Amino acid sequence: MALIVQKFGGSSVADVERIRRVAGIITDTYSAGNDVVVVLSAQGDTTDDLIEKAAEINPNPSKREMDMLLSTGEQISISLMAMAIEQLGLPVVSLTGWQIGMQTTADYGNARIIRVTADRIRTELDRRRIVLVAGFQGIDKYDDITTLGRGGSDTTAVAIAASLHADLCQIYTDVEGVYTCDPRIMPDAKKLDEITYDEMLELASLGAQVLHNRSVELAKRYGVKLEVLSSFVRKPGTQVKEVVKVEQTKISGIAKDTNVARIALIGLRDEPGVAFKVFRVLSRSKINVDIILQSIGRDGTKDISFTVAKSDMELAEKVLREHKDEVGFEDISVNGDIAKVSIVGAGMMTSPGVASLMFEALYDAKVNINMISTSEIKISVLVPVEDADRAIAAIHRKFF
Ligand code: ASP
Ligand code: MG
Protein backbone atom coordinates (compact mmCIF):
# COMPACT_ATOMS: atom_id res chain seq x y z
CA MET A 1 0.00 0.00 0.00
CA ALA A 2 1.24 3.45 -0.90
CA LEU A 3 0.23 7.05 -0.40
CA ILE A 4 -0.36 8.56 -3.82
CA VAL A 5 -1.15 12.16 -4.73
CA GLN A 6 -2.84 12.54 -8.11
CA LYS A 7 -3.43 15.84 -9.89
CA PHE A 8 -5.80 16.24 -12.82
CA GLY A 9 -5.68 19.33 -15.04
CA GLY A 10 -8.62 21.32 -16.35
CA SER A 11 -8.93 19.45 -19.64
CA SER A 12 -9.07 16.11 -17.77
CA VAL A 13 -12.22 17.18 -15.90
CA ALA A 14 -13.76 19.41 -18.58
CA ASP A 15 -17.12 17.61 -18.89
CA VAL A 16 -19.31 14.90 -17.34
CA GLU A 17 -17.80 12.08 -19.36
CA ARG A 18 -14.26 13.11 -18.43
CA ILE A 19 -15.16 13.50 -14.76
CA ARG A 20 -16.47 9.90 -14.83
CA ARG A 21 -13.29 8.68 -16.51
CA VAL A 22 -11.11 10.38 -13.91
CA ALA A 23 -13.34 9.05 -11.11
CA GLY A 24 -12.51 5.61 -12.51
CA ILE A 25 -8.75 6.24 -12.31
CA ILE A 26 -9.04 7.54 -8.74
CA THR A 27 -11.22 4.71 -7.47
CA ASP A 28 -9.06 2.05 -9.15
CA THR A 29 -6.01 3.47 -7.35
CA TYR A 30 -7.94 3.49 -4.07
CA SER A 31 -9.36 0.00 -4.52
CA ALA A 32 -5.87 -1.38 -5.12
CA GLY A 33 -5.29 -0.55 -1.45
CA ASN A 34 -3.61 2.85 -1.70
CA ASP A 35 -4.31 6.04 0.21
CA VAL A 36 -5.30 8.61 -2.40
CA VAL A 37 -5.23 12.39 -2.28
CA VAL A 38 -6.43 14.11 -5.44
CA VAL A 39 -5.83 17.72 -6.50
CA LEU A 40 -8.09 19.15 -9.20
CA SER A 41 -7.95 22.20 -11.47
CA ALA A 42 -10.94 24.18 -12.63
CA GLN A 43 -12.87 22.56 -15.50
CA GLY A 44 -11.74 23.41 -19.04
CA ASP A 45 -11.60 27.17 -19.65
CA THR A 46 -13.37 28.07 -16.40
CA THR A 47 -10.55 30.25 -15.05
CA ASP A 48 -10.31 32.23 -18.31
CA ASP A 49 -14.09 32.63 -18.38
CA LEU A 50 -14.09 33.96 -14.83
CA ILE A 51 -11.36 36.46 -15.72
CA GLU A 52 -13.49 37.69 -18.63
CA LYS A 53 -16.55 37.93 -16.44
CA ALA A 54 -14.64 40.07 -13.95
CA ALA A 55 -13.46 42.40 -16.73
CA GLU A 56 -17.05 43.01 -17.79
CA ILE A 57 -17.87 44.31 -14.32
CA ASN A 58 -14.66 46.15 -13.49
CA PRO A 59 -11.60 46.40 -15.74
CA ASN A 60 -9.43 47.00 -12.68
CA PRO A 61 -10.66 44.81 -9.83
CA SER A 62 -8.67 44.36 -6.63
CA LYS A 63 -6.45 41.29 -6.60
CA ARG A 64 -8.10 40.06 -3.42
CA GLU A 65 -11.51 39.91 -5.07
CA MET A 66 -9.99 38.28 -8.17
CA ASP A 67 -8.67 35.47 -5.99
CA MET A 68 -12.03 35.13 -4.28
CA LEU A 69 -13.56 34.70 -7.74
CA LEU A 70 -10.94 32.47 -9.38
CA SER A 71 -10.78 30.03 -6.47
CA THR A 72 -14.39 29.06 -7.14
CA GLY A 73 -13.46 27.17 -10.33
CA GLU A 74 -11.52 24.52 -8.43
CA GLN A 75 -14.30 24.21 -5.86
CA ILE A 76 -16.75 23.26 -8.61
CA SER A 77 -14.38 20.52 -9.79
CA ILE A 78 -13.84 18.89 -6.40
CA SER A 79 -17.51 18.86 -5.42
CA LEU A 80 -18.60 17.40 -8.77
CA MET A 81 -15.85 14.78 -8.61
CA ALA A 82 -16.88 13.88 -5.05
CA MET A 83 -20.43 13.31 -6.30
CA ALA A 84 -19.14 11.08 -9.11
CA ILE A 85 -17.16 8.99 -6.62
CA GLU A 86 -20.08 8.84 -4.18
CA GLN A 87 -22.10 7.37 -6.98
CA LEU A 88 -19.52 4.60 -7.37
CA GLY A 89 -20.17 3.81 -3.73
CA LEU A 90 -16.78 4.77 -2.30
CA PRO A 91 -16.01 7.04 0.68
CA VAL A 92 -14.85 10.49 -0.41
CA VAL A 93 -14.56 14.05 0.89
CA SER A 94 -13.74 17.31 -0.91
CA LEU A 95 -11.73 20.06 0.82
CA THR A 96 -10.78 23.64 0.00
CA GLY A 97 -7.35 25.21 0.45
CA TRP A 98 -8.14 26.62 3.88
CA GLN A 99 -9.63 23.34 5.10
CA ILE A 100 -6.31 21.59 4.46
CA GLY A 101 -4.23 24.42 5.95
CA MET A 102 -2.60 25.59 2.72
CA GLN A 103 -0.97 28.70 4.20
CA THR A 104 0.41 31.21 1.72
CA THR A 105 1.80 34.71 1.51
CA ALA A 106 -0.69 37.54 0.91
CA ASP A 107 0.47 38.13 -2.69
CA TYR A 108 -2.96 37.80 -4.24
CA GLY A 109 -2.79 36.30 -7.72
CA ASN A 110 0.71 34.97 -7.18
CA ALA A 111 0.91 33.73 -3.60
CA ARG A 112 3.75 31.52 -2.36
CA ILE A 113 3.15 28.52 -0.16
CA ILE A 114 4.50 28.94 3.37
CA ARG A 115 3.32 25.70 4.95
CA VAL A 116 0.74 22.95 4.48
CA THR A 117 -0.48 21.62 7.81
CA ALA A 118 -2.53 18.88 6.13
CA ASP A 119 -3.93 17.62 9.49
CA ARG A 120 -7.40 17.33 8.05
CA ILE A 121 -6.07 15.30 5.12
CA ARG A 122 -4.37 12.85 7.50
CA THR A 123 -7.53 12.46 9.57
CA GLU A 124 -9.58 11.74 6.47
CA LEU A 125 -7.01 9.26 5.13
CA ASP A 126 -7.07 7.45 8.48
CA ARG A 127 -10.80 7.04 7.97
CA ARG A 128 -9.96 5.46 4.59
CA ARG A 129 -11.60 8.23 2.62
CA ILE A 130 -10.51 9.43 -0.80
CA VAL A 131 -9.52 13.08 -0.28
CA LEU A 132 -10.18 15.63 -3.02
CA VAL A 133 -8.42 18.99 -2.70
CA ALA A 134 -9.04 22.24 -4.61
CA GLY A 135 -5.84 23.15 -6.42
CA PHE A 136 -4.37 26.62 -6.99
CA GLN A 137 -5.79 28.14 -3.79
CA GLY A 138 -4.62 28.88 -0.29
CA ILE A 139 -5.23 31.14 2.66
CA ASP A 140 -3.10 34.00 4.01
CA LYS A 141 -2.52 35.40 7.50
CA TYR A 142 -5.60 37.58 7.19
CA ASP A 143 -7.72 34.45 6.54
CA ASP A 144 -8.26 35.66 2.97
CA ILE A 145 -8.31 33.34 -0.01
CA THR A 146 -5.26 33.53 -2.27
CA THR A 147 -4.28 31.87 -5.55
CA LEU A 148 -0.88 30.57 -6.59
CA GLY A 149 -0.67 31.98 -10.13
CA ARG A 150 -1.84 30.46 -13.40
CA GLY A 151 -1.15 26.74 -13.61
CA GLY A 152 -0.66 26.63 -9.83
CA SER A 153 -2.51 23.38 -9.18
CA ASP A 154 0.63 21.40 -10.04
CA THR A 155 2.35 23.22 -7.21
CA THR A 156 -0.54 22.46 -4.83
CA ALA A 157 -0.14 18.77 -5.61
CA VAL A 158 3.62 18.70 -5.07
CA ALA A 159 3.36 20.71 -1.84
CA ILE A 160 0.82 18.25 -0.46
CA ALA A 161 2.93 15.29 -1.58
CA ALA A 162 5.95 16.80 0.18
CA SER A 163 4.00 17.54 3.34
CA LEU A 164 2.52 14.01 3.54
CA HIS A 165 5.77 12.31 2.44
CA ALA A 166 3.77 10.67 -0.32
CA ASP A 167 5.33 7.80 -2.23
CA LEU A 168 4.45 9.31 -5.60
CA CYS A 169 2.91 12.45 -7.10
CA GLN A 170 1.18 11.80 -10.41
CA ILE A 171 0.36 14.76 -12.66
CA TYR A 172 -2.35 13.67 -15.10
CA THR A 173 -2.74 15.76 -18.22
CA ASP A 174 -3.89 15.55 -21.84
CA VAL A 175 -0.53 14.37 -23.20
CA GLU A 176 1.19 11.07 -22.42
CA GLY A 177 4.19 12.62 -20.70
CA VAL A 178 7.14 14.89 -21.38
CA TYR A 179 8.25 14.87 -25.00
CA THR A 180 11.54 15.57 -26.74
CA CYS A 181 9.72 18.54 -28.27
CA ASP A 182 6.20 19.84 -28.85
CA PRO A 183 4.44 17.11 -30.91
CA ARG A 184 2.48 19.85 -32.69
CA ILE A 185 5.76 21.13 -34.15
CA MET A 186 7.43 17.77 -34.64
CA PRO A 187 5.08 14.79 -35.08
CA ASP A 188 8.06 12.45 -34.52
CA ALA A 189 8.59 13.80 -31.00
CA LYS A 190 9.29 10.97 -28.58
CA LYS A 191 7.94 10.52 -25.09
CA LEU A 192 10.72 10.40 -22.50
CA ASP A 193 10.62 7.62 -19.90
CA GLU A 194 12.62 9.69 -17.44
CA ILE A 195 14.00 13.20 -17.05
CA THR A 196 15.94 14.92 -14.25
CA TYR A 197 14.47 17.73 -12.15
CA ASP A 198 17.06 20.14 -13.55
CA GLU A 199 16.23 19.31 -17.15
CA MET A 200 12.53 19.56 -16.41
CA LEU A 201 13.07 22.95 -14.76
CA GLU A 202 14.86 24.26 -17.83
CA LEU A 203 12.16 22.90 -20.12
CA ALA A 204 9.35 24.24 -17.92
CA SER A 205 10.84 27.74 -17.79
CA LEU A 206 11.56 27.65 -21.53
CA GLY A 207 7.89 27.39 -22.28
CA ALA A 208 7.41 23.64 -22.62
CA GLN A 209 4.21 24.14 -20.59
CA VAL A 210 3.97 20.64 -19.18
CA LEU A 211 4.44 21.50 -15.53
CA HIS A 212 4.23 24.66 -13.46
CA ASN A 213 7.80 25.78 -12.86
CA ARG A 214 7.46 26.13 -9.11
CA SER A 215 6.08 22.61 -8.81
CA VAL A 216 9.32 21.23 -10.24
CA GLU A 217 11.43 23.40 -7.92
CA LEU A 218 9.46 22.12 -4.93
CA ALA A 219 9.69 18.52 -6.10
CA LYS A 220 13.46 18.83 -6.42
CA ARG A 221 13.85 20.51 -3.03
CA TYR A 222 11.82 17.85 -1.20
CA GLY A 223 12.69 14.88 -3.39
CA VAL A 224 9.10 14.25 -4.44
CA LYS A 225 8.90 11.53 -7.09
CA LEU A 226 6.87 12.95 -9.97
CA GLU A 227 5.21 11.23 -12.86
CA VAL A 228 3.57 13.07 -15.78
CA LEU A 229 0.97 10.93 -17.54
CA SER A 230 -2.23 10.97 -19.57
CA SER A 231 -5.71 10.82 -18.11
CA PHE A 232 -6.99 9.55 -21.46
CA VAL A 233 -4.74 6.56 -22.14
CA ARG A 234 -3.67 4.27 -19.36
CA LYS A 235 0.08 3.86 -19.90
CA PRO A 236 3.17 4.79 -17.92
CA GLY A 237 4.19 8.42 -18.42
CA THR A 238 7.45 10.28 -17.78
CA GLN A 239 9.15 10.08 -14.41
CA VAL A 240 10.85 13.22 -13.12
CA LYS A 241 13.61 12.50 -10.62
CA GLU A 242 17.10 13.35 -9.40
CA VAL A 243 19.13 11.01 -11.59
CA VAL A 244 18.10 9.05 -14.60
CA LYS A 245 19.29 5.57 -15.48
CA VAL A 246 21.09 5.85 -18.76
CA GLU A 247 21.93 8.76 -20.94
CA GLN A 248 20.71 7.29 -24.20
CA THR A 249 20.79 10.61 -25.98
CA LYS A 250 22.91 13.72 -25.72
CA ILE A 251 19.92 15.93 -25.09
CA SER A 252 16.48 15.39 -23.54
CA GLY A 253 14.39 18.04 -25.17
CA ILE A 254 13.99 21.06 -27.40
CA ALA A 255 11.87 24.03 -26.39
CA LYS A 256 10.56 27.16 -28.05
CA ASP A 257 9.84 30.45 -26.32
CA THR A 258 8.18 33.20 -28.35
CA ASN A 259 7.80 35.52 -25.37
CA VAL A 260 11.10 37.27 -26.13
CA ALA A 261 12.16 40.57 -27.59
CA ARG A 262 15.65 41.76 -28.47
CA ILE A 263 16.87 45.25 -27.72
CA ALA A 264 20.12 46.60 -29.16
CA LEU A 265 21.86 49.74 -27.95
CA ILE A 266 24.22 51.05 -30.58
CA GLY A 267 27.17 53.40 -30.24
CA LEU A 268 27.77 53.21 -26.50
CA ARG A 269 31.00 54.71 -25.18
CA ASP A 270 33.65 52.03 -24.73
CA GLU A 271 34.53 52.77 -21.10
CA PRO A 272 33.94 51.26 -17.65
CA GLY A 273 30.47 51.53 -16.11
CA VAL A 274 28.43 51.59 -19.31
CA ALA A 275 26.86 48.14 -18.90
CA PHE A 276 26.11 49.02 -15.29
CA LYS A 277 24.22 52.16 -16.36
CA VAL A 278 22.19 50.23 -18.95
CA PHE A 279 21.10 47.45 -16.61
CA ARG A 280 20.55 49.75 -13.64
CA VAL A 281 17.91 51.60 -15.64
CA LEU A 282 16.21 48.30 -16.46
CA SER A 283 16.42 46.86 -12.97
CA ARG A 284 14.88 50.02 -11.46
CA SER A 285 11.85 49.27 -13.62
CA LYS A 286 11.91 45.60 -12.51
CA ILE A 287 12.63 44.39 -16.03
CA ASN A 288 14.28 40.98 -16.19
CA VAL A 289 17.07 40.56 -18.71
CA ASP A 290 17.96 37.19 -20.18
CA ILE A 291 20.64 36.84 -22.88
CA ILE A 292 23.24 39.64 -23.03
CA LEU A 293 25.76 40.23 -25.79
CA GLN A 294 28.38 42.96 -26.10
CA SER A 295 30.21 43.64 -29.33
CA ILE A 296 32.72 46.13 -30.67
CA GLY A 297 31.30 49.04 -32.66
CA ARG A 298 33.02 51.67 -34.80
CA ASP A 299 35.38 54.43 -33.62
CA GLY A 300 35.89 53.36 -30.03
CA THR A 301 32.24 52.58 -29.38
CA LYS A 302 30.49 49.36 -28.44
CA ASP A 303 27.04 47.85 -28.86
CA ILE A 304 25.08 45.94 -26.22
CA SER A 305 22.16 43.68 -27.14
CA PHE A 306 19.96 41.79 -24.74
CA THR A 307 16.61 40.07 -24.51
CA VAL A 308 13.61 40.75 -22.30
CA ALA A 309 10.14 39.21 -22.08
CA LYS A 310 7.97 40.51 -24.91
CA SER A 311 5.58 41.97 -22.35
CA ASP A 312 8.45 44.18 -21.07
CA MET A 313 9.62 45.30 -24.51
CA GLU A 314 7.77 48.63 -24.68
CA LEU A 315 8.58 49.58 -21.11
CA ALA A 316 12.27 48.76 -21.64
CA GLU A 317 12.45 50.92 -24.75
CA LYS A 318 10.64 53.77 -23.01
CA VAL A 319 12.86 53.87 -19.91
CA LEU A 320 16.04 53.55 -21.98
CA ARG A 321 15.00 56.44 -24.24
CA GLU A 322 14.20 58.51 -21.16
CA HIS A 323 17.74 57.90 -19.91
CA LYS A 324 19.42 58.24 -23.30
CA ASP A 325 21.91 60.90 -22.14
CA GLU A 326 22.72 59.25 -18.83
CA VAL A 327 23.38 55.87 -20.51
CA GLY A 328 24.93 57.49 -23.56
CA PHE A 329 23.92 55.55 -26.68
CA GLU A 330 23.47 56.74 -30.26
CA ASP A 331 20.62 54.52 -31.33
CA ILE A 332 18.25 51.85 -30.03
CA SER A 333 16.63 49.10 -32.03
CA VAL A 334 13.87 46.82 -30.78
CA ASN A 335 12.70 43.55 -32.32
CA GLY A 336 9.81 41.44 -31.05
CA ASP A 337 9.64 39.09 -34.04
CA ILE A 338 12.07 36.56 -32.64
CA ALA A 339 11.95 33.27 -30.79
CA LYS A 340 14.31 31.49 -28.45
CA VAL A 341 15.00 27.88 -29.37
CA SER A 342 16.80 25.83 -26.73
CA ILE A 343 18.15 22.35 -26.34
CA VAL A 344 18.33 20.89 -22.84
CA GLY A 345 20.18 17.85 -21.61
CA ALA A 346 22.20 16.76 -18.58
CA GLY A 347 24.17 14.62 -21.04
CA MET A 348 25.80 17.64 -22.68
CA MET A 349 28.05 18.11 -19.64
CA THR A 350 29.90 14.93 -20.58
CA SER A 351 29.49 14.61 -24.32
CA PRO A 352 31.36 17.05 -26.55
CA GLY A 353 30.07 18.30 -29.88
CA VAL A 354 26.50 19.03 -28.84
CA ALA A 355 26.71 22.71 -29.77
CA SER A 356 28.30 21.94 -33.10
CA LEU A 357 25.52 19.45 -33.94
CA MET A 358 22.90 22.05 -33.11
CA PHE A 359 24.56 24.72 -35.24
CA GLU A 360 25.00 22.28 -38.10
CA ALA A 361 21.26 21.56 -38.00
CA LEU A 362 20.51 25.29 -38.14
CA TYR A 363 22.94 25.71 -41.04
CA ASP A 364 21.28 22.82 -42.92
CA ALA A 365 17.91 24.51 -42.41
CA LYS A 366 19.35 27.91 -43.49
CA VAL A 367 18.31 29.53 -40.23
CA ASN A 368 20.30 32.58 -39.17
CA ILE A 369 21.30 32.86 -35.50
CA ASN A 370 20.93 36.27 -33.80
CA MET A 371 22.34 35.43 -30.39
CA ILE A 372 23.63 32.40 -28.52
CA SER A 373 23.71 31.66 -24.82
CA THR A 374 24.70 28.57 -22.90
CA SER A 375 24.54 27.07 -19.42
CA GLU A 376 25.74 23.71 -18.12
CA ILE A 377 22.74 21.82 -19.46
CA LYS A 378 21.27 24.20 -22.04
CA ILE A 379 22.09 25.95 -25.31
CA SER A 380 19.74 28.68 -26.51
CA VAL A 381 19.72 30.52 -29.82
CA LEU A 382 17.66 33.49 -30.90
CA VAL A 383 16.18 33.12 -34.37
CA PRO A 384 13.56 34.95 -36.46
CA VAL A 385 10.15 33.85 -35.20
CA GLU A 386 9.05 32.61 -38.63
CA ASP A 387 12.04 30.23 -38.73
CA ALA A 388 11.57 28.80 -35.24
CA ASP A 389 9.49 25.71 -36.05
CA ARG A 390 11.74 24.84 -38.99
CA ALA A 391 14.77 25.22 -36.72
CA ILE A 392 13.24 22.93 -34.10
CA ALA A 393 12.38 20.27 -36.68
CA ALA A 394 15.94 20.35 -38.07
CA ILE A 395 17.52 20.10 -34.63
CA HIS A 396 15.17 17.28 -33.67
CA ARG A 397 16.12 15.29 -36.76
CA LYS A 398 19.79 15.77 -35.92
CA PHE A 399 19.59 14.52 -32.33
CA PHE A 400 16.77 11.95 -32.25
N1 ASP B 1 -7.26 26.88 -12.79
C1 ASP B 1 -6.00 27.55 -12.68
C2 ASP B 1 -5.53 28.03 -14.05
O1 ASP B 1 -6.24 27.85 -15.02
C3 ASP B 1 -4.94 26.71 -12.02
C4 ASP B 1 -4.55 25.46 -12.76
O2 ASP B 1 -5.26 25.02 -13.67
O3 ASP B 1 -3.52 24.87 -12.40
O4 ASP B 1 -4.50 28.60 -14.18
MG1 MG C 1 -1.39 23.09 -16.08
Side-chain angles (χ1 to χ4, degrees):
M1 193 192 88
L3 169 51
I4 301 178
V5 175
Q6 301 183 320
K7 181 258 168 179
F8 295 88
S11 58
S12 302
V13 293
D15 55 35
V16 173
E17 185 207 336
R18 290 181 183 192
I19 288 181
R20 292 226 160 89
R21 181 185 304 132
V22 167
I25 297 177
I26 296 170
T27 49
D28 284 354
T29 312
Y30 173 86
S31 300
N34 301 299
D35 282 337
V36 188
V37 179
V38 178
V39 174
L40 298 181
S41 288
Q43 292 183 279
D45 297 326
T46 303
T47 309
D48 291 320
D49 296 344
L50 290 171
I51 291 171
E52 266 175 43
K53 222 174 233 172
E56 283 170 25
I57 304 267
N58 177 349
N60 215 347
S62 69
K63 289 184 170 178
R64 181 197 181 274
E65 296 309 328
M66 274 312 280
D67 280 3
M68 184 62 111
L69 177 68
L70 296 190
S71 63
T72 61
E74 272 66 18
Q75 242 169 278
I76 293 174
S77 297
I78 53 170
S79 50
L80 291 177
M81 185 63 73
M83 294 172 197
I85 293 173
E86 277 174 357
Q87 223 186 10
L88 296 171
L90 291 172
V92 60
V93 62
S94 68
L95 301 170
T96 62
W98 73 261
Q99 286 176 301
I100 66 151
M102 175 66 70
Q103 297 171 22
T104 73
T105 60
D107 304 296
Y108 303 105
N110 196 24
R112 304 269 151 171
I113 297 171
I114 297 169
R115 189 181 318 110
V116 198
T117 39
D119 294 341
R120 178 72 188 271
I121 299 183
R122 283 189 204 91
T123 311
E124 299 294 352
L125 290 176
D126 287 345
R127 301 168 72 182
R128 269 302 278 161
R129 280 176 160 174
I130 297 169
V131 181
L132 308 183
V133 177
F136 174 57
Q137 58 176 260
I139 188 149
D140 66 15
K141 61 182 178 198
Y142 309 109
D143 283 350
D144 281 340
I145 292 174
T146 56
T147 65
L148 305 179
R150 297 305 305 270
S153 296
D154 296 341
T155 301
T156 304
V158 174
I160 291 174
S163 156
L164 296 173
H165 304 288
D167 298 288
L168 178 63
C169 181
Q170 295 181 310
I171 308 284
Y172 284 87
T173 172
D174 49 6
V175 292
E176 287 175 32
V178 182
Y179 282 76
T180 49
C181 95
D182 186 341
R184 283 167 303 190
I185 299 175
M186 191 68 197
D188 290 349
K190 291 184 186 59
K191 193 190 78 192
L192 300 165
D193 293 331
E194 308 182 316
I195 187 169
T196 66
Y197 293 121
D198 289 331
E199 290 171 318
M200 194 63 237
L201 265 176
E202 289 284 5
L203 288 174
S205 57
L206 291 171
Q209 277 168 11
V210 211
L211 286 175
H212 197 222
N213 224 344
R214 278 157 54 197
S215 71
V216 187
E217 275 166 25
L218 262 190
K220 180 178 161 69
R221 176 143 24 110
Y222 294 100
V224 174
K225 252 181 79 184
L226 276 182
E227 185 183 7
V228 179
L229 68 175
S230 165
S231 60
F232 300 96
V233 246
R234 295 210 189 185
K235 326 186 189 173
T238 303
Q239 293 189 32
V240 189
K241 44 199 204 184
E242 192 60 50
V243 251
V244 300
K245 265 183 278 158
V246 262
E247 282 154 12
Q248 310 99 322
T249 47
K250 293 184 160 92
I251 65 169
S252 296
I254 309 171
K256 173 172 86 165
D257 184 0
T258 52
N259 182 23
V260 274
R262 186 179 65 138
I263 297 181
L265 294 172
I266 297 142
L268 290 155
R269 282 186 299 275
D270 194 11
E271 61 187 31
V274 172
F276 168 58
K277 285 177 191 162
V278 172
F279 295 108
R280 181 177 56 184
V281 166
L282 296 167
S283 91
R284 276 198 207 124
S285 296
K286 300 228 174 345
I287 296 169
N288 247 322
V289 175
D290 183 21
I291 306 177
I292 301 174
L293 194 85
Q294 173 173 307
S295 52
I296 299 168
R298 277 161 298 150
D299 310 325
T301 65
K302 62 186 172 191
D303 304 336
I304 291 182
S305 313
F306 54 89
T307 62
V308 296
K310 202 173 268 174
S311 44
D312 283 339
M313 178 175 83
E314 280 170 19
L315 177 63
E317 181 177 5
K318 182 173 151 276
V319 294
L320 283 165
R321 282 193 190 280
E322 281 167 11
H323 294 82
K324 187 166 189 256
D325 293 337
E326 176 193 329
V327 176
F329 56 88
E330 279 161 24
D331 208 358
I332 178 169
S333 99
V334 173
N335 181 1
D337 296 323
I338 50 167
K340 184 165 78 171
V341 171
S342 308
I343 60 175
V344 172
M348 71 175 72
M349 286 192 279
T350 46
S351 45
V354 172
S356 133
L357 263 186
M358 180 188 198
F359 300 146
E360 185 182 4
L362 293 169
Y363 171 58
D364 292 346
K366 302 274 174 295
V367 175
N368 193 37
I369 304 172
N370 283 188
M371 274 184 172
I372 301 170
S373 99
T374 63
S375 79
E376 255 185 343
I377 64 164
K378 179 184 79 172
I379 303 171
S380 302
V381 293
L382 228 52
V383 300
V385 70
E386 65 272 16
D387 293 341
D389 288 356
R390 205 155 41 83
I392 289 174
I395 297 168
H396 198 275
R397 274 193 299 272
K398 197 62 109 188
F399 281 96
F400 297 102

